[in-house]
Amino acid sequence: MARLVLALVLAVADAKANATDNATNATDATATVLNQGLKVRSMSSSMSRPVTILHISDTHSMHRSTGNLPDADIFIHSGDVAKVGSDSELGDFNHWLGTIKHKYQHMLIISGNHDYWDTNWRMNRGWLSASEAHSPNYFQSKITNAKVLNHEMAEVMGLKIWGAGWHPRRGDSRSGNNYADIPAGIDILVTHEAPFGIFDMTGGGHWGSSHELLGAIYRAKPKVHLFGHIHEQRGHWDRNNDHFEGGVEYRPSPHTGQVFRPNGPPAQNYPVEVESNNAMANQPAVDHSWTGVWAPQHIVGRARLIIAKKEGDAWHFTSSVP
């Protein structure tokens, strides 16, 4: 019996010794491989995952007709969420944001000219004071499910995003912004109007664009500019090395491939990598001039997806339509 117990003790000791040897050998082998230059992946800034930004604009209270918008990290609407900006319209838009906010980590909004039509009507009748309408919190108080940018910057997911919407009591062609306060070093600029000469051609020539904005873009050098406002010039420009690719996408007639007033790309020294005019509603008057048919305004564009990739210490951007 004593011999049996001794044999069992020796067997257990041998098993422990073998396990220790195997673990040591494995550790030594790992150390040897690491010493020979095995590169271990880490989540350093140079290998951080891409950030996705969904850009929509000019939905004019037809937000529920935009379909199943794709998921993204950041959602940005660049103005004209409503047709006239009544409390009922803005309330419905805000409710809709609440139903989709689970798809985005951050939601950012700016105001457009149509978002103040009802506000201007009430101001002109003395039912609303100018000080209240011009308060930085006026539009934010109506849109509670997203952050409204009003000449301010949001820093999210490593990106610096600066936005400025429309001003109350301004006409439909000028926002009232001089854009002198756009800071240098931002990644994404969000406005409602266009920079002069870029996606701003209408039947009457240049419209709804700003010389001041164009100058501010050259000064501040954002990597991305998102806007809307000029429906018939919906399109994009993406920088590819020393030139831009893209152009106007708006088609007045769905039965032809002809776009509305195609124009040339920005100047070669234009600092933006992605320029996106994504006014998603059609322009009924323009469509009628091509087709001879009057149709209600409806959503014709699709959301644009902006991809941000970190390369070293700098962000770089491309766009696509998912």
Side-chain angles (χ1 to χ4, degrees):
M1 186 67 173
R3 290 181 179 178
L4 178 60
V5 171
L6 177 61
L8 290 173
V9 170
L10 291 175
V12 171
D14 287 343
K16 288 183 177 179
N18 290 335
T20 301
D21 290 343
N22 290 338
T24 301
N25 291 338
T27 302
D28 291 343
T30 301
T32 300
V33 172
L34 289 175
N35 289 334
Q36 290 175 351
L38 176 66
K39 295 182 179 179
V40 180
R41 289 182 177 270
S42 64
M43 289 304 290
S44 65
S45 60
S46 62
M47 299 186 66
S48 57
R49 71 173 180 84
V51 176
T52 54
I53 304 104
L54 193 75
H55 176 215
I56 71 173
S57 192
D58 294 79
T59 49
H60 290 284
S61 289
M62 295 175 289
H63 38 270
R64 298 184 188 276
S65 299
T66 55
N68 184 22
L69 294 176
D71 295 10
D73 295 309
I74 304 170
F75 171 100
I76 298 179
H77 194 302
S78 55
D80 276 3
V81 307
K83 292 182 178 179
V84 300
S86 65
D87 285 346
S88 61
E89 280 188 317
L90 296 179
D92 184 68
F93 175 74
N94 187 53
H95 178 268
W96 174 73
L97 289 179
T99 67
I100 65 169
K101 66 187 307 181
H102 65 281
K103 303 171 70 170
Y104 311 98
Q105 295 188 47
H106 304 276
M107 303 187 82
L108 305 172
I109 307 289
I110 66 167
S111 58
N113 54 305
H114 280 257
D115 300 327
Y116 284 119
W117 278 15
D118 183 73
T119 297
N120 293 337
W121 187 82
R122 287 184 287 139
M123 287 173 63
N124 291 336
R125 284 155 179 77
W127 300 347
L128 179 70
S129 68
S131 60
E132 182 180 355
H134 283 91
S135 167
N137 296 321
Y138 176 75
F139 201 66
Q140 181 70 82
S141 68
K142 301 174 184 296
I143 307 297
T144 61
N145 284 317
K147 168 64 177 174
V148 174
L149 296 179
N150 185 8
H151 289 265
E152 59 189 310
M153 182 165 63
E155 295 191 46
V156 296
M157 305 192 72
L159 296 171
K160 296 180 179 180
I161 306 171
W162 192 92
W166 218 257
H167 284 248
R169 261 200 184 134
R170 298 297 299 191
D172 285 344
S173 62
R174 297 295 301 272
S175 69
N177 296 311
N178 63 20
Y179 299 109
D181 56 340
I182 298 177
I186 60 173
D187 299 298
I188 300 175
L189 171 64
V190 188
T191 66
H192 187 59
E193 62 194 339
F196 183 84
I198 298 177
F199 292 134
D200 67 343
M201 290 300 295
T202 68
H206 297 283
W207 181 88
S209 57
S210 167
H211 286 280
E212 293 84 359
L213 177 56
L214 180 65
I217 288 174
Y218 274 106
R219 172 185 57 79
K221 296 179 172 55
K223 295 288 185 66
V224 175
H225 179 217
L226 309 179
F227 66 102
H229 193 43
I230 304 107
H231 295 230
E232 57 265 48
Q233 288 283 287
R234 185 183 72 254
H236 78 101
W237 292 112
D238 277 39
R239 179 179 288 278
N240 183 357
N241 295 321
D242 62 347
H243 66 282
F244 287 94
E245 297 176 349
V248 176
E249 299 169 344
Y250 188 91
R251 289 171 170 76
S253 172
H255 306 296
T256 72
Q258 191 171 3
V259 300
F260 182 88
R261 291 181 180 262
N263 55 9
Q268 188 174 350
N269 66 338
Y270 191 65
V272 169
E273 292 183 353
V274 173
E275 186 85 15
S276 172
N277 171 4
N278 204 28
M280 295 170 67
N282 71 321
Q283 182 62 279
V286 172
D287 294 357
H288 175 263
S289 69
W290 288 58
T291 64
V293 177
W294 284 104
Q297 193 171 52
H298 56 283
I299 297 294
V300 294
R302 294 164 59 188
R304 195 178 311 282
L305 193 66
I306 316 295
I307 310 296
K309 294 182 179 179
K310 193 78 173 286
E311 298 177 10
D313 294 329
W315 288 100
H316 293 284
F317 299 83
T318 56
S319 76
S320 65
V321 176

